Amino acid sequence: MKKYLLLFCLLGFVQLAFGTKLETNNQVEKDTILIEFGKSGKIVLVVDNKEDFDKLKNMNVNQIISELDLKIDEQTGELVVVEVSGKKGTKEIVKVTEDWNKTEVTVGGVKILVDESNPGNTKVKVETRGRKASDPPFRTYFNLDLGINNYLDANGNFPGSSAPYAVKGWGSWNLGLNWMASQRISKGFNWDIGLGVQWYNFKFENRDFQAVRGDGEIDFIQRTEVDGFKSKISASYLTAMSLFRLDFGKMNDNGRKGLRIAAGPYAGYRLGGTSKYVYRPIDGGGRRKESQNTGIYLNNFRYGIRGEVGIGRFNFFTTYDLNPLFEKGAGPELNALSFGMIF
């Protein structure tokens, strides 16, 4: 049984390698030998040389296998039938591993397992291996950041609810579109650089306060004559970043199952900045909106540290600005902080 299986794999490989087609409807001008075994097993050999045909007719299956002059590793039981050597090393095409009652035949990406441990009940199992995802030394890709914003005061704390500029987490969205280029340094270790645009929204927890342009600074005024619905400031930045990334899954040949971490600096230039206040008049009426250009009081440049953590299909990021959000003396000393998911 094992010999027939081995011979069948060899013939299949030759069929694939040389593109030979056997068609019942067309006459093929080649001599053939038909080997029958069991109740319905058949092996067809195609020979286009008369001398080889006469020689092959006088051989049995055992002689065919012995003519291959194959050597078995006595320790592992492995038998490499066909291998291809190239610049990148040797690639095994057909390999056979034999135990006393089990045989494993690998042909390319197909593995055939023959289990004869139970007399009279031979089990055959066929497995196919999916193609491994390639890991090129250099690649480019896009990603999207989606998270929330906040900031820390001069003492490293989040502003309390009593502060007019205290941030409400839900609604203070951070959105980033990034184009990235990744260069592999070693297995599982990459250097990524990127360029993108980030939008920051800081939605105030106290909706009665509005951020407006004051005399040389940004002012937070309390609107008692209206019913405040939403108050926020926003800013957008063109940002460049550099990340050093470690992928422990690739280091250990586990693919995306391992932990991934990355960290590096970023720097950005401000593209715009506004404040928005949405309210209803107390005496009735629909919603109204007021917007002001408050970007004059925001720092034109921002720089900081970005960190990423990933596991499986999930990737998370956090950024922290090392310089204040507002210019010195033009607003409270606040350093922006963001965290969220990468898609």
Side-chain angles (χ1 to χ4, degrees), residues 315-343:
N315 295 282
F316 304 90
F317 78 94
T318 183
T319 61
Y320 178 70
D321 286 3
L322 297 177
N323 65 320
L325 178 65
F326 298 102
E327 294 180 348
K328 187 175 181 180
E333 187 175 346
L334 301 170
N335 293 69
L337 172 71
S338 304
F339 52 92
M341 294 190 66
I342 305 172
F343 298 91

Side-chain angles (χ1 to χ4, degrees), residues 193-198 237-242 265-269 302 304:
I193 57 174
L195 184 66
V197 179
Q198 281 72 39
Y237 294 87
L238 178 66
T239 305
M241 67 186 76
S242 175
Y266 63 84
Y269 180 77
R302 61 184 287 262

Side-chain angles (χ1 to χ4, degrees), residues 104-113 125-130:
E104 179 182 299
V105 180
T106 303
V107 183
V110 180
K111 182 186 294 184
I112 304 173
L113 305 174
K125 182 179 180 182
V126 179
E127 297 179 353
T128 58
R129 295 179 300 177

Side-chain angles (χ1 to χ4, degrees), residues 89-307:
T90 300
K91 182 178 180 181
E92 297 176 350
I93 303 300
V94 180
K95 185 174 69 173
V96 180
T97 303
E98 279 195 284
D99 199 351
W100 70 277
N101 58 2
K102 295 181 180 180
T103 302
E104 179 182 299
V105 180
T106 303
V107 183
V110 180
K111 182 186 294 184
I112 304 173
L113 305 174
V114 181
D115 185 356
E116 297 179 305
S117 57
N118 186 5
N121 185 16
T122 301
K123 297 180 180 179
V124 179
K125 182 179 180 182
V126 179
E127 297 179 353
T128 58
R129 295 179 300 177
R131 180 176 295 180
K132 292 184 179 180
S134 60
D135 184 20
F138 179 81
R139 68 185 184 97
T140 59
Y141 62 95
F142 287 91
N143 64 26
L144 182 146
D145 296 339
L146 182 60
I148 58 176
N149 300 308
N150 210 320
Y151 30 58
L152 301 178
D153 59 24
N155 297 321
N157 301 318
F158 294 108
S161 299
S162 60
Y165 45 80
V167 167
K168 183 178 181 180
W170 190 259
S172 298
W173 303 117
N174 174 280
L175 177 65
L177 299 175
N178 306 302
W179 176 85
M180 306 293 295
S182 179
Q183 174 63 52
R184 185 177 64 200
I185 299 176
S186 61
K187 185 178 181 180
F189 181 35
N190 287 55
W191 176 38
D192 293 7
I193 57 174
L195 184 66
V197 179
Q198 281 72 39
W199 288 268
Y200 286 79
N201 291 280
F202 299 93
K203 186 176 181 181
F204 300 145
E205 185 175 349
N206 193 330
R207 297 174 295 180
D208 293 334
F209 284 90
Q210 180 184 5
V212 298
R213 294 179 60 178
D215 186 11
E217 64 179 3
I218 188 169
D219 289 335
F220 298 90
I221 61 173
Q222 188 171 14
R223 301 287 300 271
T224 57
E225 79 283 7
V226 296
D227 183 13
F229 181 75
K230 180 170 64 176
S231 181
K232 71 173 185 176
I233 57 175
S234 61
S236 58
Y237 294 87
L238 178 66
T239 305
M241 67 186 76
S242 175
L243 297 169
F244 290 95
R245 187 180 308 278
L246 288 174
D247 191 326
F248 296 100
K250 290 183 179 179
M251 287 183 178
N252 300 320
D253 296 323
N254 289 328
R256 296 180 64 86
K257 295 182 180 180
L259 177 69
R260 301 180 299 276
I261 58 174
Y266 63 84
Y269 180 77
R270 185 175 59 82
L271 301 176
T274 60
S275 72
K276 181 185 292 185
Y277 189 69
V278 181
Y279 63 93
R280 291 191 184 96
I282 293 180
D283 55 359
R287 293 185 185 180
R288 300 180 183 179
K289 179 176 67 176
E290 294 181 4
S291 297
Q292 287 193 12
N293 179 13
T294 56
I296 191 173
Y297 300 127
L298 295 169
N299 265 318
N300 288 330
F301 294 94
R302 61 184 287 262
Y303 58 89
I305 299 295
R306 177 183 175 101

